[in-house]
Amino acid sequence: MSSEKTLILVKPDGVRRGLVGEVISRIEDKGYHITALRMLQADRELLQQHYAEHEGKVFYEPLIEFMESGPIVALVAEGNRVIEGFRALAGTTDPTSAAPGTIRGDLARDQGTKVVQNIVHGSDSPESAAREIAIFFKGN
Ligand code: IDP
Ligand code: MG
Protein backbone atom coordinates (compact mmCIF):
# COMPACT_ATOMS: atom_id res chain seq x y z
CA MET A 1 0.00 0.00 0.00
CA SER A 2 1.57 3.28 -1.10
CA SER A 3 1.44 6.25 1.24
CA GLU A 4 2.01 9.95 0.85
CA LYS A 5 2.50 12.98 3.11
CA THR A 6 1.19 16.53 2.89
CA LEU A 7 1.81 19.72 4.83
CA ILE A 8 -1.36 21.33 6.14
CA LEU A 9 -1.56 24.71 7.87
CA VAL A 10 -4.45 26.12 9.85
CA LYS A 11 -3.95 29.80 9.03
CA PRO A 12 -4.32 32.64 11.59
CA ASP A 13 -8.00 33.16 10.69
CA GLY A 14 -8.73 29.51 11.44
CA VAL A 15 -6.91 29.63 14.78
CA ARG A 16 -8.54 32.97 15.76
CA ARG A 17 -11.98 31.58 15.00
CA GLY A 18 -11.43 28.39 17.00
CA LEU A 19 -11.55 26.09 13.97
CA VAL A 20 -8.44 23.99 14.67
CA GLY A 21 -10.50 21.09 16.00
CA GLU A 22 -12.95 21.31 13.11
CA VAL A 23 -10.14 21.14 10.53
CA ILE A 24 -8.42 18.25 12.33
CA SER A 25 -11.74 16.39 12.57
CA ARG A 26 -12.33 16.67 8.86
CA ILE A 27 -8.82 15.32 8.12
CA GLU A 28 -9.26 12.41 10.54
CA ASP A 29 -12.86 11.70 9.56
CA LYS A 30 -11.68 11.30 5.97
CA GLY A 31 -9.32 8.60 7.24
CA TYR A 32 -5.92 10.32 7.05
CA HIS A 33 -3.44 10.02 9.87
CA ILE A 34 -1.85 13.04 11.51
CA THR A 35 1.79 12.17 12.13
CA ALA A 36 3.21 15.55 13.21
CA LEU A 37 1.63 18.66 14.69
CA ARG A 38 2.81 21.98 16.12
CA MET A 39 1.44 25.42 16.88
CA LEU A 40 3.77 28.30 16.09
CA GLN A 41 4.03 31.99 15.43
CA ALA A 42 5.61 32.00 11.98
CA ASP A 43 8.24 34.65 11.28
CA ARG A 44 8.72 36.45 7.99
CA GLU A 45 11.76 34.42 6.95
CA LEU A 46 9.90 31.12 7.31
CA LEU A 47 6.87 32.48 5.45
CA GLN A 48 9.00 33.84 2.61
CA GLN A 49 10.46 30.36 2.18
CA HIS A 50 7.07 28.70 2.32
CA TYR A 51 5.44 31.11 -0.17
CA ALA A 52 8.49 31.63 -2.44
CA GLU A 53 6.45 30.66 -5.54
CA HIS A 54 4.18 33.69 -4.99
CA GLU A 55 6.91 36.34 -4.69
CA GLY A 56 6.11 39.32 -6.92
CA LYS A 57 2.35 38.72 -7.05
CA VAL A 58 0.02 41.51 -5.86
CA PHE A 59 -1.22 39.46 -2.91
CA TYR A 60 2.29 38.34 -1.82
CA GLU A 61 3.01 41.04 0.78
CA PRO A 62 -0.56 40.97 2.22
CA LEU A 63 -0.27 37.17 2.35
CA ILE A 64 2.95 37.30 4.37
CA GLU A 65 1.49 39.95 6.72
CA PHE A 66 -1.68 37.93 7.20
CA MET A 67 0.23 34.72 7.90
CA GLU A 68 2.36 36.43 10.56
CA SER A 69 -0.67 38.10 12.18
CA GLY A 70 -1.18 35.32 14.74
CA PRO A 71 -0.41 31.73 15.61
CA ILE A 72 -0.84 28.97 13.06
CA VAL A 73 -1.02 25.20 13.36
CA ALA A 74 1.21 23.11 11.10
CA LEU A 75 0.60 19.42 10.66
CA VAL A 76 1.63 16.51 8.51
CA ALA A 77 -1.13 14.18 7.32
CA GLU A 78 -0.43 10.82 5.74
CA GLY A 79 -2.33 8.41 3.56
CA ASN A 80 -2.69 7.18 0.02
CA ARG A 81 -3.34 10.24 -2.26
CA VAL A 82 -3.54 12.58 0.76
CA ILE A 83 -2.26 15.59 -1.24
CA GLU A 84 -5.16 15.42 -3.66
CA GLY A 85 -7.55 14.31 -0.91
CA PHE A 86 -6.83 17.24 1.38
CA ARG A 87 -7.03 19.75 -1.51
CA ALA A 88 -10.51 18.32 -2.17
CA LEU A 89 -11.45 18.66 1.52
CA ALA A 90 -10.14 22.26 1.55
CA GLY A 91 -12.00 23.41 -1.56
CA THR A 92 -10.90 26.00 -4.09
CA THR A 93 -8.80 29.05 -3.17
CA ASP A 94 -11.65 31.58 -3.30
CA PRO A 95 -13.89 30.71 -0.35
CA THR A 96 -16.87 32.58 -1.77
CA SER A 97 -17.19 30.10 -4.62
CA ALA A 98 -15.63 27.07 -2.89
CA ALA A 99 -18.12 24.22 -2.86
CA PRO A 100 -20.33 23.81 0.19
CA GLY A 101 -19.12 20.73 2.06
CA THR A 102 -15.49 21.84 1.83
CA ILE A 103 -13.56 23.56 4.64
CA ARG A 104 -13.31 26.82 2.71
CA GLY A 105 -16.82 26.55 1.28
CA ASP A 106 -18.42 25.91 4.67
CA LEU A 107 -16.30 28.06 6.97
CA ALA A 108 -14.94 31.07 5.05
CA ARG A 109 -15.90 33.85 2.69
CA ASP A 110 -14.12 36.73 0.96
CA GLN A 111 -14.00 39.57 3.50
CA GLY A 112 -12.79 42.13 0.94
CA THR A 113 -9.21 42.03 2.25
CA LYS A 114 -6.16 42.24 -0.05
CA VAL A 115 -5.40 38.60 0.59
CA VAL A 116 -8.18 36.11 0.75
CA GLN A 117 -8.48 34.46 4.17
CA ASN A 118 -9.38 30.84 3.62
CA ILE A 119 -8.60 28.90 6.83
CA VAL A 120 -6.15 26.32 5.49
CA HIS A 121 -3.13 25.62 3.33
CA GLY A 122 -2.41 22.23 1.74
CA SER A 123 0.59 21.23 -0.38
CA ASP A 124 -0.17 20.95 -4.08
CA SER A 125 2.32 18.26 -5.22
CA PRO A 126 4.72 15.67 -3.77
CA GLU A 127 7.62 18.07 -4.45
CA SER A 128 5.87 20.94 -2.61
CA ALA A 129 4.96 18.62 0.26
CA ALA A 130 8.57 17.50 0.76
CA ARG A 131 9.82 21.09 0.57
CA GLU A 132 7.14 22.46 2.92
CA ILE A 133 7.41 19.65 5.49
CA ALA A 134 11.15 20.33 5.69
CA ILE A 135 10.42 24.03 6.40
CA PHE A 136 7.94 23.42 9.22
CA PHE A 137 9.33 20.18 10.65
CA LYS A 138 13.09 20.41 10.46
CA GLY A 139 14.61 17.02 11.13
CA ASN A 140 11.43 15.00 10.46
P1 IDP B 1 -4.02 27.66 -2.51
O1 IDP B 1 -3.87 28.03 -1.05
O2 IDP B 1 -5.44 27.29 -2.84
O3 IDP B 1 -3.01 26.63 -2.96
P2 IDP B 1 -2.38 29.63 -3.88
O4 IDP B 1 -2.60 30.05 -5.30
O5 IDP B 1 -1.22 28.76 -3.58
O6 IDP B 1 -3.75 28.99 -3.36
O7 IDP B 1 -2.28 30.99 -3.04
C1 IDP B 1 -1.80 30.98 -1.71
C2 IDP B 1 -2.74 31.82 -0.87
O8 IDP B 1 -2.68 33.19 -1.31
C3 IDP B 1 -4.21 31.45 -0.98
O9 IDP B 1 -4.60 30.38 -0.16
C4 IDP B 1 -4.88 32.74 -0.60
O10 IDP B 1 -4.84 32.93 0.82
C5 IDP B 1 -3.97 33.77 -1.26
N1 IDP B 1 -4.38 34.12 -2.63
C6 IDP B 1 -4.19 33.39 -3.75
N2 IDP B 1 -4.67 34.00 -4.84
C7 IDP B 1 -5.18 35.17 -4.41
C8 IDP B 1 -5.82 36.27 -5.09
O11 IDP B 1 -6.01 36.27 -6.31
N3 IDP B 1 -6.24 37.31 -4.30
C9 IDP B 1 -6.04 37.33 -2.96
N4 IDP B 1 -5.43 36.33 -2.29
C10 IDP B 1 -5.01 35.25 -2.99
MG1 MG C 1 -0.91 26.84 -2.97
Side-chain angles (χ1 to χ4, degrees):
M1 197 177 72
S2 65
S3 195
E4 191 174 75
K5 292 183 187 183
T6 194
L7 187 276
I8 296 169
L9 301 177
V10 183
K11 296 181 177 184
D13 57 331
V15 173
R16 271 196 284 272
R17 291 178 51 205
L19 295 172
V20 175
E22 174 72 28
V23 170
I24 287 174
S25 287
R26 288 180 184 224
I27 296 164
E28 292 187 326
D29 287 352
K30 184 78 172 174
Y32 298 124
H33 291 285
I34 293 170
T35 56
L37 178 96
R38 65 184 282 233
M39 178 174 256
L40 69 148
Q41 171 68 56
D43 63 26
R44 179 160 283 259
E45 194 188 325
L46 182 146
L47 293 167
Q48 284 171 342
Q49 274 183 44
H50 175 65
Y51 281 125
E53 67 175 298
H54 295 303
E55 201 181 339
K57 296 182 185 170
V58 283
F59 60 84
Y60 175 74
E61 187 56 34
L63 176 61
I64 301 289
E65 281 175 24
F66 164 57
M67 291 297 294
E68 62 181 358
S69 70
I72 61 175
V73 171
L75 64 91
V76 176
E78 283 193 38
N80 190 44
R81 297 175 68 195
V82 67
I83 294 171
E84 178 188 1
F86 180 74
R87 300 273 296 181
L89 283 182
T92 53
T93 306
D94 180 355
T96 296
S97 53
T102 65
I103 293 167
R104 289 162 168 176
D106 285 349
L107 305 172
R109 65 182 174 86
D110 190 340
Q111 305 276 350
T113 47
K114 283 184 187 163
V115 69
V116 76
Q117 304 190 4
N118 54 11
I119 315 276
V120 287
H121 164 85
S123 307
D124 62 9
S125 68
E127 296 71 28
S128 302
R131 192 182 71 81
E132 294 171 0
I133 290 168
I135 292 171
F136 285 90
F137 295 93
K138 291 189 178 72
N140 278 44

